[in-house]
């Protein structure tokens, strides 16, 4: 028998090890597909192959998650103990708490959730329900009860809190009137149960309004009870979400049966749904009927935002100001959001209140973001000096970088990213950086940049509050390929970089929920059209994840959008993302 040299022996072992690693990676991918498709057999087959793999916990999580309806507390606790302190354990605990809340196992819920911090809206709603039922002292109202999509868990919390007078009758009526857009019938029924008896539709009225809204709106000539009117307003919302033109027409024939407050609410809802359909003129017509500012029908932040955007497109500054003033004071989507602060200032300036506008501009101009720069331009304030944009630049030491190299969570992030499991990678990375200050965030961003995980690097750099490195926020990977593609069709490379940053965060293998592929998120059908224009005969959709193909096709399509939109970069970017028809409709 021929003897192997020592070098040959070690080489053969490396081949075996690498082959096993690739096989294990393939098993993880197979298990992730099984989880996505709900196929337990694929996960079960993968489990023996991933023992010792850095992502073994994920495969075990997927297996347990698919069977959570029948899982015992002992099995779940065993998993949580084994993976204690990891992101996947936190995910399992959240899922388990939701299962316990859904099945009214409140004692187990209290034990499993004790000391566990989470911002999951459904878990917070279940906690609010438990606190209300047990007479807890802290009966705080979770934000989920006001969310655009009202879940059954948060509808249950709403009902429990209303019974404890933590929510008013007015709150209950507004929530019922708006919940029909994105809630289930069960959630809607729970909200109805929190209404005063005289205003409460019965189950049949709600079912008809929910399932057959156009029929429910065919009202008799007899006067309507309060409960019938509330059911009809639910039906109006249900109809408007799919056919706002029909809803507007029917409402005109029945509105005389409703009181002033109800008519203002209906007008506000029709303004909102018209705005969502990009019917700006109709949106403004109905918004004016929603009442003067001091008596305006109640709107959520998301509804007011749609109406505000319609007012912007129509150039109706007074209506824009009214819509912004209807928002709450949140910094994330409300009046204090930089976007709406800027547009409030624009409205005030257009309406002749220069002092009010300049006061807002002056504060915005101190902030490092897009609308801060726009505000600075409006009042002629100096733009930030380049050194100010990099006041947080760090030069990490090898020891500082090694700290991340040794983190098990960081290793999982790299492997998840390598396997294309970016949503899991994002959650895992958040568990690493969530408590970081500016200095650590910039170090983490630089470590991710060195690893070539551009999306996590950029997102982490964006977390900083006062120390910034805009070179990390606006990175330019694949610069050679992107510049070459842009210059070949005479497109500004900066526009191309910005588009890619927004579309894929420089993830070459990105696949969107709609099926768009690659750096520039080109749809396979669009790729086929581009290939025909460029006379490329061997086009295959899989080629769109190739950097050169993606940038070449994407730059060509961007140039086509620029030509079709009269050279407007704003409209071209909108057309690239949403289609030329929508870009024209918003103009």
């Amino acid at each position: 028998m021929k003897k192997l040299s020592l070098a040959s022996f070690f080489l053969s072992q490396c081949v075996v090890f690498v082959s096993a690693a690739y096989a294990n990676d393939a098993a993880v991918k197979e298990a992730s597909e099984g989880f996505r498709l709900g196929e337990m057999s694929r996960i079960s087959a993968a489990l023996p192959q991933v023992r010792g793999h850095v992502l073994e916990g994920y495969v075990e999580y997927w297996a347990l998650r698919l069977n959570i309806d029948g899982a015992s507390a002992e099995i779940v606790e065993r998993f949580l103990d084994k993976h204690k302190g990891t992101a996947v354990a936190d995910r399992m605990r959240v899922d388990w708490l939701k299962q316990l809340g859904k099945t009214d196992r409140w004692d187990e819920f209290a034990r499993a959730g004790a000391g566990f911090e989470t911002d999951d809206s459904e878990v917070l709603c279940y906690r609010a329900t438990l606190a209300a039922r047990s007479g807890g002292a802290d009966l705080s109202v979770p934000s989920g009860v006001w969310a655009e999509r009202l879940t059954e868990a948060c509808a249950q919390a709403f009902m429990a809190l209303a019974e404890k007078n933590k929510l008013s009758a007015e709150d209950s009526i507004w929530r019922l009137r708006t919940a029909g857009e994105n809630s289930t019938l069960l959630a809607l029924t729970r909200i109805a149960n929190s209404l005063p008896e005289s205003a409460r539709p019965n189950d049949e009225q709600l079912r008809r309004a929910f399932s057959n809204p156009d029929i429910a709106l065919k009202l008799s000539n007899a006067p309507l009870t309060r409960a019938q009117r509330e059911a009809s307003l639910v039906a109006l919302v249900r109809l408007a979400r799919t056919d706002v033109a029909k809803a507007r027409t029917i409402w005109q024939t029945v509105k005389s049966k409703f009181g002033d407050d109800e008519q203002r609410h209906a007008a506000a809802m029709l303004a909102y749904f018209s705005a969502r359909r990009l019917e700006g003129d109709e949106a403004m017509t109905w918004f004016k009927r929603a009442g003067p500012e001091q008596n305006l029908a109640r709107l959520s932040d998301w509804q007011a935002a749609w109406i505000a955007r319609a007012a912007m497109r129509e150039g109706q500054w007074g209506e824009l100001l009214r819509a912004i003033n209807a928002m709450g004071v949140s910094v994330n989507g409300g009046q204090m959001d930089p976007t709406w602060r800027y547009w409030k200032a624009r409205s005030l300036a257009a309406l002749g209140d220069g002092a009010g506008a300049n006061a807002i501009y002056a504060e915005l101009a101190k902030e490092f973001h897009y609308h801060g720069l726009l505000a600075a331009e409006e009042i002629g304030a100096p733009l930030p000096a380049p050194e100010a944009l990099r006041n947080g630049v760090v030069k990490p030491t090898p020891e500082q970088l090694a700290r991340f190299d040794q983190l098990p969570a960081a290793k999982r992030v790299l492997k998840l990213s390598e396997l294309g499991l970016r949503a899991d990678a994002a959650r895992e990375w958040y568990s690493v950086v969530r408590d970081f200050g500016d200095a650590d965030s910039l170090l983490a961003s630089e470590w991710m940049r060195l690893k070539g995980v551009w999306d996590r690097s950029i997102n982490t750099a964006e977390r900083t509050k006062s120390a910034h490195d805009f070179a990390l926020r606006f990175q330019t990977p694949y610069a050679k390929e992107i510049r070459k593609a842009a210059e070949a069709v005479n497109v500004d490379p900066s526009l191309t970089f910005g588009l890619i940053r927004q579309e894929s965060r420089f993830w070459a293998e990105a696949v969107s929920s709609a099926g768009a592929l690659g750096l520039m998120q080109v749809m396979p059908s669009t790729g086929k059209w581009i290939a025909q224009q460029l006379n490329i005969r061997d086009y295959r959709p899989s080629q769109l994840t190739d950097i050169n193909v993606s940038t070449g096709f994407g730059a060509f399509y961007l140039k086509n959008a620029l030509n079709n939109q009269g050279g407007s970069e704003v409209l071209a970017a909108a057309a690239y993302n949403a289609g030329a028809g929508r870009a024209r409709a918003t103009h």
Side-chain angles (χ1 to χ4, degrees):
M1 180 183 294
K2 184 179 179 181
K3 292 185 178 181
L4 289 174
S5 68
L6 190 60
S8 298
F9 172 78
F10 279 116
L11 179 61
S12 67
Q13 295 306 299
C14 287
V15 170
V16 171
F17 176 80
V18 170
S19 298
Y22 277 120
N24 289 344
D25 285 354
V28 172
K29 282 287 287 182
E30 177 71 6
S32 73
E33 278 298 288
F35 179 65
R36 184 178 70 84
L37 298 172
E39 297 177 358
M40 186 63 201
S41 59
R42 297 170 73 171
I43 303 175
S44 299
L47 272 169
Q49 303 176 55
V50 299
R51 298 303 177 201
H53 192 278
V54 68
L55 299 182
E56 177 184 353
Y58 275 82
V59 180
E60 291 179 343
Y61 164 78
W62 294 328
L64 181 53
R65 181 64 184 82
L66 281 189
N67 288 318
I68 197 167
D69 288 352
S72 67
E74 292 74 22
I75 291 174
V76 173
E77 286 300 328
R78 196 178 307 142
F79 176 91
L80 294 175
D81 286 341
K82 178 178 179 179
H83 300 288
K84 187 176 182 179
T86 67
V88 78
D90 286 349
R91 284 178 68 187
M92 187 69 253
R93 191 177 296 276
V94 165
D95 293 334
W96 182 235
L97 288 171
K98 289 180 182 180
Q99 176 67 16
L100 295 174
K102 184 173 70 173
T103 53
D104 292 328
R105 294 153 69 182
W106 296 110
D107 289 342
E108 290 181 74
F109 180 94
R111 287 194 297 272
F116 176 61
E117 294 184 10
T118 179
D119 58 1
D120 184 89
S121 64
E122 286 193 83
V123 172
L124 294 178
C125 283
Y126 281 128
R127 280 181 171 165
T129 298
L130 176 59
R133 290 182 174 183
S134 60
D138 180 21
L139 291 183
S140 57
V141 179
S143 61
V145 303
W146 307 118
E148 181 174 3
R149 176 180 171 269
L150 181 67
T151 64
E152 292 171 6
C154 290
Q156 184 181 33
F158 193 108
M159 182 174 65
L161 290 167
E163 289 175 355
K164 296 295 183 179
N165 297 317
K166 291 296 293 183
L167 295 165
S168 67
E170 179 186 321
D171 290 332
S172 297
I173 289 167
W174 180 84
R175 185 70 272 195
L176 177 73
R177 292 176 178 179
T178 57
E181 181 185 1
N182 283 310
S183 71
T184 64
L185 180 57
L186 175 57
L188 203 62
T189 302
R190 285 175 169 169
I191 296 298
N193 287 334
S194 70
L195 265 65
E197 187 173 354
S198 62
R200 187 185 308 157
N202 61 40
D203 290 349
E204 177 57 26
Q205 288 169 333
L206 277 181
R207 186 200 61 75
R208 191 184 308 114
F210 187 88
S211 303
N212 302 103
D214 49 346
I215 295 174
L217 282 169
K218 292 179 178 177
L219 306 176
S220 68
N221 292 327
L224 302 178
T225 66
R226 176 67 188 279
Q228 288 173 325
R229 296 200 302 274
E230 294 301 338
S232 297
L233 291 172
V234 171
L236 183 69
V237 166
R238 293 293 296 174
L239 179 59
R241 64 195 280 273
T242 57
D243 192 342
V244 67
K246 187 175 183 180
R248 291 193 301 253
T249 299
I250 291 178
W251 178 250
Q252 293 282 36
T253 68
V254 301
K255 68 179 183 179
S256 61
K257 295 180 177 293
F258 295 80
D260 290 344
D261 167 71
E262 294 157 346
Q263 290 195 33
R264 287 196 303 273
H265 170 78
M269 294 301 99
L270 292 172
Y272 161 60
F273 285 108
S274 297
R276 287 195 67 123
R277 293 291 301 170
L278 304 182
E279 297 175 8
D281 185 57
E282 288 284 357
M284 293 301 95
T285 296
W286 286 96
F287 190 45
K288 289 182 174 73
R289 298 175 186 175
E293 186 162 321
Q294 65 272 19
N295 202 23
L296 182 64
R298 183 172 172 178
L299 290 165
S300 65
D301 286 351
W302 77 83
Q303 292 167 339
W306 274 100
I307 295 170
R309 286 189 286 267
M312 288 162 57
R313 289 192 296 272
E314 296 296 312
Q316 296 204 24
W317 297 104
E319 300 309 308
L320 173 56
L321 183 61
R322 208 158 62 97
I324 294 172
N325 287 340
M327 299 175 185
V329 295
S330 169
V331 297
N332 185 21
Q335 284 192 49
M336 298 309 295
D337 188 296
T339 301
W340 297 122
R341 288 161 61 203
Y342 171 77
W343 284 104
K344 183 171 185 175
R346 285 283 302 271
S347 300
L348 290 171
L351 295 170
D353 185 1
N358 287 340
I360 297 174
Y361 286 142
E363 289 302 312
L364 265 178
K366 300 174 185 177
E367 301 172 15
F368 290 110
H369 49 65
Y370 174 68
H371 288 95
L373 294 176
L374 290 181
E377 289 182 347
E378 291 288 346
I379 59 175
L383 297 178
E387 57 270 18
L389 299 179
R390 302 194 67 191
N391 65 347
V393 172
V394 293
K395 294 182 179 179
T397 65
E399 291 76 19
Q400 288 174 319
L401 293 175
R403 163 188 159 201
F404 290 100
D405 288 329
Q406 301 308 313
L407 282 176
K411 294 176 183 179
R412 289 192 290 269
V413 173
L414 294 181
K415 180 57 71 173
L416 289 164
S417 299
E418 177 189 333
L419 297 180
L421 302 174
R422 288 297 170 114
D424 293 305
R427 282 188 287 262
E428 186 79 49
W429 185 239
Y430 177 71
S431 75
V432 175
V433 303
R434 63 186 167 196
D435 297 323
F436 279 6
D438 286 358
D440 283 337
S441 290
L442 291 169
L443 282 172
S445 173
E446 175 64 8
W447 183 78
M448 274 298 185
R449 184 191 70 81
L450 293 171
K451 297 298 183 182
V453 186
W454 316 111
D455 58 337
R456 291 303 98 214
S457 177
I458 292 168
N459 286 12
T460 306
E462 288 183 330
R463 291 172 50 84
T464 59
K465 305 298 183 184
S466 57
H468 309 297
D469 185 350
F470 276 64
L472 285 173
R473 289 194 184 194
F474 296 94
Q475 299 177 40
T476 55
Y478 310 116
K480 180 180 178 181
E481 295 88 345
I482 293 170
R483 292 185 188 281
K484 179 181 178 182
E487 291 167 358
V489 293
N490 196 28
V491 168
D492 183 354
S494 296
L495 178 61
T496 313
F497 274 113
L499 189 70
I500 293 174
R501 185 183 186 276
Q502 190 65 24
E503 291 285 335
S504 69
R505 280 291 201 266
F506 300 99
W507 177 22
E509 296 81 23
V511 181
S512 76
S513 58
L517 300 168
L519 284 178
M520 297 194 72
Q521 290 290 276
V522 177
M523 292 292 291
S525 57
T526 303
K528 181 178 180 180
W529 177 82
I530 295 170
Q532 291 170 346
Q533 305 306 305
L534 297 176
N535 199 29
I536 296 174
R537 300 182 181 279
D538 60 346
Y539 163 75
R540 298 184 306 278
S542 60
Q543 294 170 327
L544 293 173
T545 57
D546 178 272
I547 293 169
N548 289 303
V549 173
S550 183
T551 54
F553 277 32
F556 177 88
Y557 192 60
L558 178 57
K559 179 63 174 180
N560 183 72
L562 281 164
N563 291 341
N564 290 338
Q565 301 297 331
S568 168
E569 293 184 349
V570 172
L571 291 178
Y576 189 98
N577 180 269
R582 289 185 180 178
R584 284 191 295 270
T586 60
H587 183 44

